[in-house]
């Protein structure tokens, strides 16, 4: 039933066909790993967040989508919206590959990633049309909507038909924003082994002038930068650039903090670091909301992973929305948005729990697969070398995911080696204990994900895990000495679906 509509039947017919596929396929899913409170597609494949915008009282989140199968195919733009960043409503597919500049075979062509803007009340999407020929062709395209639901492709697409250089490696993922009375577009690019963020400027969104490279890899930051997002954050001319660099494994995401000059379109880099230290965080995008908050969401998967949910008829989650701010030392801070407290159900609190060396302590009522945990370890009088939490533990103790902190190495980690199906591996991040010897961890556990926040917003670590449904145990451990949990708060989180 894939793409039976002929090219003469047009965009809207393809969209209707995509919805039928959803209807048919969403009833057939295996729900074992379905996320309870993270955005995910009704069925089929999802990757990058696209077109994030706060428009007319709604947060809109579009996404790379194949509604027909749980693997990467011809890309559509799925569409969801939310009033509160917590509860999401699925809307009809917004874009389907229908034109010569955005359709092709079945390898992954289509309407690739991009962004959304409010052009004086006109809801406008700017995206990459990707056609896989002998050499992939990538052009920048535009579509508009009057009602925020049905989108019409611009008759004179593509709006940018040529990349600055024929010998490039990628020319995609336009992110557009307005400054003064001009529109600015940053596009992901790669040439001569260097990832680049290149710039265009426009007065009307339709005709664009090339302005050169804003910033590029210093040779250690990948050979193509996917999904750039460049935005002001903090005082003065401070800006942050988020990138998804290709071919610098194991690093999959970076931010570059510095200053951006709108006249020259040059970005001066102060420092670069990882945005998130987990395995499953890619292609983050941000929006600015009506309260002036810069909110980021990323794809909670990674290319090349085993992705066990594909066998269940779906693929892909989005991270929780995180508010970005910048610290005085220029480091990027991310915090889950406070609206998420709306998910909180029954609450268990504990104080002054002693965790003896080499023990695994459980706390009455603290277990499950859909939880928020806030834990403060007091390590002042402790000679422990490692402390932490095991989640999704099996009855017999052979399966679990371990989140821990090594005191001598000042290192936070999530260990998935015994987590269940899917890829193993240990993700790690440098972390200094807070003043007063406290280790503060905040953990969001969903059916097939663990998001960890620490260091007052400095560390985020996002991982997918695929344990057995019945493995819901939680325990707290210490090694090398006793430790003390100063306080623990655990909330059951409700489902948004
Ligand atoms: C990043 C990416 C983008 C591209 C899209 C295709 O994950 O490769 O560069 O536009 O996915 O789905």
């Amino acid at each position: 039933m894939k793409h039976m509509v002929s090219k003469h039947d047009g965009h809207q017919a393809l969209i209707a066909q995509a919805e039928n596929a959803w209807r048919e396929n969403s009833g057939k899913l295996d729900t074992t790993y379905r996320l309870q409170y993270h955005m995910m597609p009704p069925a089929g494949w999802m990757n990058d967040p696209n077109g994030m915008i706060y428009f007319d009282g709604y947060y809109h989140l579009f996404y790379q989508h194949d509604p027909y199968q749980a693997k990467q195919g011809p890309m559509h733009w799925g569409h969801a919206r939310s009033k509160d960043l917590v509860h999401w409503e699925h809307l009809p597919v917004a874009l389907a590959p229908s034109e010569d500049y955005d359709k092709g075979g079945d390898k992954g062509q289509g309407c690739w990633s991009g962004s959304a803007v409010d052009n004086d009340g006109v809801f406008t999407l700017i995206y990459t049309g990707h056609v896989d020929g002998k050499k992939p062709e990538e052009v920048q395209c535009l579509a508009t909507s009057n009602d925020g639901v049905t989108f019409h492709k611009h008759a004179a697409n593509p709006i940018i038909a040529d990349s600055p250089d024929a010998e490039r490696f990628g020319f995609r993922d336009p992110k557009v924003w307005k400054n003064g009375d001009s529109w600015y577009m940053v596009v992901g690019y790669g040439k001569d082994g260097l990832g680049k963020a290149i710039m265009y400027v426009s007065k009307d969104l339709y005709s664009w002038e090339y302005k050169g490279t804003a910033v590029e890899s210093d040779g250690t930051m990948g050979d193509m930068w996917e999904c750039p997002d460049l935005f002001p954050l903090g005082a003065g001319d401070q800006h942050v650039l988020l990138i998804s660099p290709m071919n610098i494994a194991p690093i999959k995401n970076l931010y570059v903090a510095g200053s951006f000059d709108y006249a020259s379109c040059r970005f001066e880099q102060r420092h670069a670091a990882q945005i998130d230290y987990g395995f499953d965080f890619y292609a983050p995008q941000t929006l600015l909301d009506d309260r002036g908050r810069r909110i980021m969401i990323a794809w909670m998967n990674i290319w090349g992973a085993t992705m066990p949910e594909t066998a269940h008829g779906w693929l892909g989650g989005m991270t929780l929305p995180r508010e970005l701010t910048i610290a005085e030392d220029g480091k990027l801070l991310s915090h889950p948005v406070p609206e998420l407290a709306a998910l909180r159900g029954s609450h268990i609190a504990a104080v002054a729990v002693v965790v003896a060396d080499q023990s695994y302590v459980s706390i009455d009522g603290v277990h499950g697969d859909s939880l928020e945990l806030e834990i403060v370890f007091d390590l002042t009088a402790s000679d422990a070398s490692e402390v932490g939490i095991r989640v999704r533990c099996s009855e017999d103790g052979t399966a679990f995911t371990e989140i821990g902190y090594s005191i001598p190495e000042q290192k936070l980690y999530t260990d998935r080696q015994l987590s269940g199906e899917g890829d193993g591996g240990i993700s790690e991040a440098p972390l200094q204990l807070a003043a007063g010897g406290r280790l503060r961890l905040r953990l969001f556990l969903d059916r097939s994900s663990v998001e960890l926040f620490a260091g007052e917003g400095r560390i985020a670590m996002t991982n997918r895990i695929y344990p057995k449904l019945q493995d819901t145990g939680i325990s707290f451990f210490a090694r090398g000495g006793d430790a003390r949990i100063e306080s623990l708060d655990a909330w059951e989180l409700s489902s948004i679906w």
Side-chain angles (χ1 to χ4, degrees):
M1 99 143 249
K2 216 165 116 185
H3 291 279
M4 277 167 12
V5 173
S6 88
K7 65 180 174 193
H8 305 295
D9 293 325
H11 190 214
Q12 290 313 315
L14 284 169
I15 283 171
Q17 186 175 295
E19 273 193 83
N20 286 337
W22 268 6
R23 248 172 237 122
E24 213 175 294
N25 297 336
S26 56
K28 296 191 217 147
L29 300 178
D30 176 331
T31 59
T32 309
Y33 300 134
R34 291 292 272 172
L35 296 157
Q36 301 299 291
Y37 57 90
H38 287 82
M39 231 304 283
M40 60 184 176
W45 169 277
M46 175 176 89
N47 59 288
D48 313 355
N50 292 157
M52 284 176 59
I53 188 170
Y54 185 82
F55 193 103
D56 250 357
Y58 283 98
Y59 294 93
H60 289 264
L61 173 62
F62 300 82
Y63 53 92
Q64 290 286 283
H65 184 40
D66 187 331
Y68 299 98
Q69 54 184 356
K71 58 178 193 181
Q72 185 195 16
M75 284 299 167
H76 298 57
W77 275 38
H79 187 190
R81 70 178 179 188
S82 171
K83 281 230 177 255
D84 61 1
L85 288 168
V86 178
H87 301 91
W88 295 94
E89 172 194 355
H90 288 296
L91 294 176
V93 164
L95 298 175
S98 62
E99 310 301 320
D100 288 344
Y101 53 81
D102 66 14
K103 71 170 195 249
D106 49 17
K107 267 204 289 170
Q109 303 82 341
C111 305
W112 277 24
S113 287
S115 51
V117 292
D118 174 351
N119 183 18
D120 232 346
V122 181
F123 200 143
T124 305
L125 308 181
I126 298 106
Y127 69 97
T128 297
H130 180 103
V131 174
D132 253 348
K134 263 203 196 109
K135 211 174 148 205
E137 280 309 316
E138 292 179 334
V139 294
Q140 315 316 325
C141 308
L142 184 148
T144 53
S145 172
N146 295 324
D147 60 3
V149 177
T150 306
F151 288 83
H152 304 281
K153 294 179 185 174
H154 177 47
N157 271 342
I159 50 166
I160 303 179
D162 297 311
S163 76
D165 196 300
E167 295 312 313
R168 66 188 185 273
F169 174 31
F171 173 50
R172 59 177 175 268
D173 311 336
K175 176 79 199 264
V176 177
W177 76 105
K178 197 167 197 180
N179 185 266
D181 57 4
S182 293
W183 294 100
Y184 292 78
M185 179 196 288
V186 58
V187 182
Y189 204 67
K191 189 173 158 5
D192 302 330
L194 301 180
K196 295 169 192 275
I198 62 172
M199 294 298 308
Y200 289 81
V201 177
S202 171
K203 285 279 177 216
D204 63 2
L205 267 189
Y206 289 81
S207 85
W208 291 88
E209 185 192 344
Y210 178 55
K211 299 291 271 186
T213 299
V215 57
E216 65 183 23
S217 165
D218 60 6
T220 66
M221 297 160 77
D223 55 5
M224 157 69 195
W225 287 357
E226 295 190 308
C227 303
D229 190 351
L230 178 55
F231 48 88
L233 196 67
D237 57 1
Q238 286 193 89
H239 280 64
V240 169
L241 172 70
L242 307 182
I243 50 172
S244 298
M246 290 176 75
N247 301 318
I248 47 160
I251 289 172
K252 302 287 186 183
N253 66 81
L254 284 173
Y255 74 88
V256 186
S259 53
F260 184 69
D261 174 38
Y262 281 90
S264 63
C265 282
R266 297 293 173 271
F267 185 92
E268 196 188 313
Q269 172 177 339
R270 283 204 199 101
H271 77 263
Q274 270 175 262
I275 309 163
D276 186 294
Y277 289 84
F279 289 110
D280 295 292
F281 180 97
Y282 199 68
Q285 196 177 87
T286 68
L287 59 74
L288 188 67
D289 77 359
D290 61 332
R291 289 185 246 168
R293 297 184 300 175
R294 180 60 60 174
I295 291 163
M296 172 184 73
I297 292 179
W299 185 35
M300 196 166 60
N301 295 79
I302 194 70
W303 294 110
T306 309
M307 303 179 178
E309 71 259 42
T310 53
H312 295 193
W314 68 286
L315 180 287
M318 292 298 174
T319 64
L320 292 176
R322 304 171 187 178
E323 183 180 353
L324 298 181
T325 50
I326 197 119
E328 265 173 20
D329 60 3
K331 298 262 164 63
L332 188 66
L333 308 179
S334 73
H335 290 280
V337 295
E339 286 93 326
L340 292 162
L343 294 168
R344 288 175 177 174
S346 63
H347 176 218
I348 289 180
V351 289
V353 180
V354 174
V355 184
D357 184 16
Q358 301 298 332
S359 68
Y360 293 89
V361 173
S362 52
I363 293 176
D364 264 0
V366 179
H367 59 86
D369 61 11
S370 187
L371 294 176
E372 179 187 347
L373 298 173
E374 278 185 9
I375 305 138
V376 183
F377 282 97
D378 171 3
L379 299 171
T380 37
S382 165
D383 45 12
S385 55
E386 251 173 26
V387 297
I389 313 146
R390 283 185 174 176
V391 298
R392 302 303 302 267
C393 304
S394 61
E395 255 331 284
D396 66 4
T398 58
F400 53 84
T401 298
E402 182 169 300
I403 290 112
Y405 183 69
S406 161
I407 296 145
E409 292 175 82
Q410 304 202 323
K411 202 172 67 188
L412 187 67
Y413 65 86
T414 302
D415 182 341
R416 312 190 289 187
Q417 294 180 97
L418 297 172
S419 291
E421 269 200 286
D423 295 337
I426 304 174
S427 29
E428 297 179 343
L431 176 68
Q432 288 181 358
L433 286 184
R438 301 297 193 274
L439 173 68
R440 291 197 177 80
L441 303 178
R442 187 161 179 213
L443 204 67
F444 285 88
L445 194 61
D446 202 341
R447 280 259 175 99
S448 57
S449 67
V450 189
E451 279 165 287
L452 172 64
F453 299 91
E456 318 295 320
R458 280 162 195 267
I459 302 294
M461 195 180 274
T462 302
N463 283 291
R464 297 297 298 277
I465 51 168
Y466 301 92
K468 293 206 167 78
L469 257 185
Q470 68 268 26
D471 294 350
T472 58
I474 292 183
S475 63
F476 302 86
F477 67 85
R479 294 178 192 133
D482 298 350
R484 182 170 167 275
I485 297 175
E486 185 172 77
S487 66
L488 164 77
D489 287 283
W491 292 269
E492 252 174 52
L493 299 185
S494 53
S495 173
I496 60 167
W497 304 115

